[in-house]
Amino acid sequence: MSPDHPATIPPRFADPKAVSACLPFQADRVGQGGIWGDLVVEEFAPQPPTEMATPAADHHQINVSFSQEWARREWSGQSRSGIFSKNEVAVIAAEESVSWVCPHGSAHCLHIHLPRRAIALVHERDIELAPARAPLTSTLGCQDDTILRLAFLLYDELRAPKWGMKLFIDTLTLQLAIALVRRQMAAIGEGVGSGTAHMPADIARVIDYIDAYLGTAMSVTDLAAICELPEMQFLRRFKRVTGLPPHRFVIRRRAQRAAEILRHDTEGLPLSILALELGFCDQTHFTKVFKANHGVTPARYRKAARSYYPGTALDP
């Protein structure tokens, strides 16, 4: 049976309308369409402090934050507490139930309900995507420029019904499905993420070295030697596996380590000292990098962490 046939997905999970009905506030329905007419895009205005939960759905859901929020998200035994930046993307796989706690109010955001048949169609049309046929993996929040760009294009197209083109909407729907499948392939084939358990052994060694000596200066020559590769070959391989060139990977890793330290800081560690310990030139450079990665300054991040869980440390 063709994967784009409606009968291939049994209707035993909640549809987008039922998912939205579980929220404590109303969505502004931006539009509906796509190849089968069941792609749904909704916009949510900022809301006061709230808690909410959604049932397992028959669609994959892509959430894009238009503004920053401090929240806890939980599903499948995973949780993330902290600041979700503007333009951050979350992917909720079909059949996943999710809960949110937003103690300072929820963000202005976009929800895209993508039918599972779109993913099935991508798998059917491209035999090379066989490794990605495992169930789609949810992510609590990430930076994904491709998904973000497609989401914004779809949002703009559906908000203009008088001139919106069905063919373009269909194309964007499939492009979103392809972007999700590519992300899944990276997770399966290259183990991209915070851990190195499923990464190629040579790149895993480099990342372990980076984490162990995060506060020290390191050169491409040093890192390439760990892989036993010429520098140019190492640069290409590292970027293919991690999605970033080494210098940007190190900077992001330092920003992530700083956030982890600040979440657990109850002693008021001076930011100037933290900056030097993590290998930044000075506090100004540290603040600039941290804000670029987390949306706020280190001082505001630490203050928000303390207000979220007064007297306790945050989970990583």
Side-chain angles (χ1 to χ4, degrees), residues 45-166:
Q47 300 294 328
T50 186
E51 296 184 18
M52 50 192 149
T54 55
D58 61 6
H59 284 50
H60 302 299
Q61 185 173 314
I62 301 168
N63 294 354
V64 177
S65 299
F66 287 151
S67 61
Q68 176 186 294
E69 71 176 350
W70 185 277
R72 172 184 286 271
R73 294 177 179 175
E74 297 181 348
W75 61 67
S76 297
Q78 303 178 70
S79 69
R80 176 182 163 190
S81 298
I83 292 175
F84 291 81
S85 304
K86 179 181 178 181
N87 293 340
E88 189 160 356
V89 173
V91 178
I92 304 169
E95 305 183 24
E96 292 270 15
S97 56
V98 188
S99 65
W100 289 268
V101 179
C102 305
H104 304 298
S106 63
H108 178 199
C109 62
L110 189 70
H111 289 187
I112 299 174
H113 301 270
L114 183 72
R116 285 187 285 175
R117 287 170 291 185
I119 301 291
L121 183 60
V122 173
H123 287 161
E124 180 192 54
R125 300 293 171 85
D126 195 332
I127 192 65
E128 293 183 1
L129 297 179
R133 293 178 187 241
L136 200 67
T137 302
S138 297
T139 176
L140 298 171
C142 65
Q143 299 292 332
D144 192 306
D145 292 341
T146 300
I147 292 177
L148 182 67
R149 183 169 61 252
L150 291 169
F152 283 161
L153 285 170
L154 191 58
Y155 173 71
D156 289 339
E157 193 71 13
L158 288 173
R159 288 175 68 205
K162 291 184 179 179
W163 57 266
M165 296 179 62
K166 181 180 182 300

Side-chain angles (χ1 to χ4, degrees), residues 27-55:
D28 177 15
R29 181 64 63 88
V30 174
Q32 183 168 343
I35 296 173
W36 304 280
D38 54 358
L39 171 98
V40 175
V41 179
E42 300 172 319
E43 183 176 7
F44 292 88
Q47 300 294 328
T50 186
E51 296 184 18
M52 50 192 149
T54 55

